[in-house]
Amino acid sequence: MNAKPIGVFDSGIGGLTVVRALSARLPNENIVYFGDTARVPYGPKSPTVVREYAMQDVDFLVSKGVKMVVIACNTVSAVALDVVQNRARVPVVAVILPGAREAIRATKKKRVGIIGTVATVNSGAYAHAIRQIDADVQVFAQACPLFVPLAEEGWIDHRVTALVAKEYLFPLTLEKIDTLILGCTHYPVLRGAIAAAMDPHVTLIDSGAAVAADVEAALDEKKLRNPSRQKPNLEFYVSDLPARFAEIGERFLGRTMGRVHRVSGF
Ligand code: DGL
């Protein structure tokens, strides 16, 4: 059981930022990744559709014999966590709660901003998770849908990205937040531009990095850690042709990726 892989899924490529954080923290764990590149983006879609997609995504990971499911996608975590939990039959870790906890730890003024896709922001999931833990924290949300294509385009240090970031984040600067949750898989890639558009004292919370600590705790609690010291196996599956994923993915993963497999039927 312990040598079985951790299953990670996302609407597409962005979840590789979570794989990067997981591999850094848990270097012995085998990982199977599924990116639904044929149907990305999930962020502008209705919760009903995202829930249907999430069901199929988790079924695929379960068919690979995973010991745990990590929902790397903030949009799925926000609108379909229950669907995935009901379906997975193994422990499930999602990105919202770890990010919310980390933000509460970081904020001194109890004023937290959250940026994400339209679906994530409309769901109110981060605000809900934060208020469940500390009802005194005020949460200010802003959807930043253009960040997703900008990150995929590789426009990291680009003047257009800087301009878009200023435009989106200006309302949050008025709210005098001291902590900002990067509530979308793609945003850690644009961290520099986001930081530059905010006051320098604002702490940025990467929900992907926060989730890795929760996965480690869940593995320990369930005694599911892989004891092997061998180089772990990382397998990547996507629902559209793999070429673009493999090319852009290395930017998100921070290293070369090896072979990417296509799964049909999505
Ligand atoms: N993975 C999505 C998220 O974290 C961003 C991309 C999309 O809209 O599908 O919310």
Side-chain angles (χ1 to χ4, degrees), residues 217-237:
L219 289 176
D220 285 342
E221 190 198 322
K222 313 270 179 208
K223 307 214 176 334
L224 282 175
R225 265 198 198 238
N226 187 8
S228 164
R229 291 283 169 268
Q230 276 172 13
K231 196 169 172 276
N233 201 18
L234 265 60
E235 281 177 34
F236 299 96
Y237 296 87

Side-chain angles (χ1 to χ4, degrees), residues 4-5 22 28 35 49 52 64 72 79 87 96 124 134 142 176 178 186 203 218 237-238 242 252 256-257 264:
K4 285 185 172 184
L22 279 176
N28 301 326
V49 166
E52 279 169 20
K64 290 281 157 199
V79 305
R87 207 88 181 175
I96 306 277
D134 186 343
Q142 175 69 49
K176 304 282 176 229
D178 66 358
H186 288 60
T203 306
Y237 296 87
V238 289
F252 286 74
T256 51
M257 177 173 321
S264 53

Side-chain angles (χ1 to χ4, degrees), residues 43-225:
K45 298 197 169 77
S46 70
T48 309
V49 166
V50 173
R51 288 167 71 82
E52 279 169 20
Y53 288 178
M55 215 182 279
Q56 293 156 3
D57 300 344
V58 72
D59 283 355
F60 172 74
L61 287 181
V62 169
S63 78
K64 290 281 157 199
V66 297
K67 63 181 175 184
M68 179 178 283
V69 168
V70 178
I71 312 176
C73 182
N74 286 258
T75 303
V76 172
S77 303
V79 305
L81 175 60
D82 57 325
V83 169
V84 177
Q85 281 169 332
N86 289 339
R87 207 88 181 175
R89 296 190 300 265
V90 290
V92 174
V93 181
V95 279
I96 306 277
L97 199 56
R101 267 200 232 111
E102 185 108 353
I104 290 168
R105 265 199 294 273
T107 184
K108 295 200 173 61
K109 294 201 272 175
K110 294 195 183 274
R111 297 177 79 79
V112 172
I114 139 82
I115 52 175
T117 65
V118 172
T120 298
V121 166
N122 285 350
S123 75
Y126 271 104
H128 181 74
I130 288 171
R131 292 212 194 91
Q132 292 280 97
I133 305 169
D134 186 343
D136 294 335
V137 175
Q138 280 188 278
V139 183
F140 305 91
Q142 175 69 49
C144 305
L146 290 175
F147 281 171
V148 169
L150 287 170
E152 295 206 359
E153 199 59 32
W155 286 12
I156 315 295
D157 292 317
H158 196 288
R159 63 186 186 285
V160 170
T161 307
L163 206 64
V164 171
K166 270 207 181 103
E167 187 76 22
Y168 277 145
L169 301 175
F170 179 65
L172 291 180
T173 62
L174 296 181
E175 301 297 352
K176 304 282 176 229
I177 58 167
D178 66 358
T179 304
L180 178 63
I181 301 174
L182 308 181
C184 175
T185 47
H186 288 60
Y187 299 179
V189 175
L190 302 180
R191 196 184 175 101
I194 294 168
M198 299 301 297
D199 295 332
H201 70 271
V202 172
T203 306
L204 301 186
I205 306 290
D206 175 349
S207 55
V211 87
D214 268 40
V215 170
E216 183 175 37
L219 289 176
D220 285 342
E221 190 198 322
K222 313 270 179 208
K223 307 214 176 334
L224 282 175
R225 265 198 198 238

